[in-house]
């Protein structure tokens, strides 16, 4: 066997070696000195991925939004350059607890008050700002708290003035209900689209992390409905290939938007 083939075999058996070829962009994986060095070397942006922990029907794990937000934020950061990714915000407003409303009607959901949520976002953003990040970016994987992200971004932008930017990147989330939904309808899948845990939601999850979907059970299930936590549509035809269409759209929409402001 040639030396070249031996090296290829070693690389294939050592994913850690492959991972080291690309710089880590995850803030929580770095030491403080590495972060300081990155800032001195021109890193000027940090993405705060906002997820949420909620029921997503019987067939998608409750950490869906957190996993998707983290993975896609990493892709965005790598494409954009000079960008790091903050730890995911996994605790968000998801409904009332007394009485239980919205997703809080189901086990598996964690909800905090809007005041706690906005306070958390502002505190995190301010922490990054004083460290030297010129641009703090929020991306949202869940529609229930968009108004709070816009409010926090506007407040911080006013506070910081010319000293920095706080941005909510709307195209990242908006593309799912527009261009991605249109792409699925063009494939004859409009009837399978709903508002939550539908074909679109499930396909996106399969594209990012298929282990988060109970695919075998889903394939043999009757049509799930509201009582199951699935709000319209039919997730049973979901595939990773369909989800990849939406994932690529989300990443590109965010990268394009951030390149414009940078």
């Amino acid at each position: 066997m040639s030396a070249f083939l031996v090296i290829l075999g070693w690389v294939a058996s050592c994913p850690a070696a492959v991972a080291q070829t690309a710089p880590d962009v995850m803030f929580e994986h770095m030491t403080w000195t590495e972060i300081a060095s990155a800032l001195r070397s021109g890193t000027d942006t940090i993405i705060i991925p906002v997820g949420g922990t909620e029921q997503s029907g019987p067939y998608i794990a409750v950490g869906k939004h957190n996993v998707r937000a983290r993975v896609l934020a990493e892709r965005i950061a790598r494409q954009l350059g000079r960008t790091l990714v903050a730890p995911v915000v996994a605790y968000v407003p998801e409904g009332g607890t007394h009485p239980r409303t919205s997703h809080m009607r189901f086990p598996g959901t964690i909800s905090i008050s809007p005041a706690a949520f906005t306070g958390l976002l502002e505190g995190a953003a301010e922490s990054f700002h004083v460290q030297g990040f010129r641009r703090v970016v929020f991306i949202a994987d869940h529609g229930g708290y968009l108004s709070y992200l816009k409010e926090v971004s506007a407040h911080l932008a006013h506070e910081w003035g010319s000293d920095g930017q706080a941005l909510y990147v709307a195209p990242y989330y908006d593309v799912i209900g527009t261009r991605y939904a249109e792409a699925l309808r063009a494939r004859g899948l409009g009837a399978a689209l709903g508002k939550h845990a539908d074909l679109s939601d499930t396909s996106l999850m399969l594209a990012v992390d298929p282990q988060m979907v109970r695919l075998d059970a889903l394939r043999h299930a009757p049509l799930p409905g509201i009582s199951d936590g699935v709000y319209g549509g039919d997730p049973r035809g979901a595939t990773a290939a369909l989800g990849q269409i939406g994932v690529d759209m989300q990443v590109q929409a965010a990268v394009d938007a951030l390149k414009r402001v940078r």
Side-chain angles (χ1 to χ4, degrees):
M1 183 182 294
S2 71
F4 176 71
L5 292 177
V6 169
I7 291 170
L8 281 181
W10 176 80
V11 169
S13 65
C14 299
V18 177
Q20 290 175 3
T21 62
D24 200 338
V25 297
M26 307 306 286
F27 184 91
E28 59 194 321
H29 294 172
M30 303 170 74
T31 69
W32 79 263
T33 54
E34 290 168 342
I35 293 166
S37 176
L39 287 165
R40 288 195 301 270
S41 300
T43 293
D44 60 1
T45 302
I46 188 160
I47 300 170
I48 301 179
V50 186
T53 306
E54 65 178 24
Q55 73 82 19
S56 285
Y59 309 110
I60 308 178
V62 299
K64 168 191 76 178
H65 287 306
N66 303 322
V67 173
R68 287 207 309 237
R70 178 183 59 77
V71 171
L72 270 61
E74 182 175 1
R75 280 189 55 184
I76 293 164
R78 291 193 183 284
Q79 288 194 33
L80 193 62
R82 295 183 290 142
T83 302
L84 298 182
V85 178
V88 175
V89 177
Y91 301 97
V92 306
E94 293 279 9
T97 54
H98 301 287
R100 291 167 65 175
T101 61
S102 189
H103 293 306
M104 275 305 303
R105 293 179 295 113
F106 297 84
T109 304
I110 303 172
S111 187
I112 63 174
S113 70
F117 180 60
T118 55
L120 185 159
L121 297 179
E122 288 185 7
E126 186 64 27
S127 296
F128 297 129
H129 178 238
V130 299
Q131 289 175 44
F133 290 94
R134 291 281 304 165
R135 189 173 295 103
V136 178
V137 174
F138 297 102
I139 62 169
D141 205 71
H142 178 3
Y145 47 67
L146 301 187
S147 62
Y148 304 122
L149 293 187
K150 295 173 185 176
E151 174 189 322
V152 167
S153 299
H155 171 71
L156 292 173
H158 176 74
E159 289 290 312
W160 296 347
S162 60
D163 236 9
Q165 290 179 296
L167 304 166
Y168 161 59
V169 184
Y172 171 86
Y173 182 81
D174 293 348
V175 75
I176 295 302
T178 54
R179 289 175 47 221
Y180 180 43
E182 291 164 8
L184 294 176
R185 291 190 187 99
R187 289 164 171 78
L189 298 169
L193 300 182
K195 295 183 177 179
H196 178 73
D198 64 344
L199 177 90
S200 168
D201 214 358
T202 310
S203 293
L204 290 169
M205 194 71 257
L206 284 170
V208 173
D209 187 350
Q211 295 185 25
M212 298 285 285
V213 181
R214 310 301 183 252
L215 194 56
D216 288 343
L218 177 63
R219 293 288 186 250
H220 297 92
L223 178 65
I226 293 176
S227 63
D228 302 302
V230 178
Y231 302 158
D234 185 351
R236 294 175 296 177
T239 68
L242 289 172
Q244 194 62 49
I245 298 167
V247 166
D248 291 342
M249 286 180 176
Q250 285 191 277
V251 171
Q252 196 59 54
V255 170
D256 290 346
L258 289 169
K259 282 183 175 179
R260 285 194 293 272
V261 297
R262 179 179 275 178

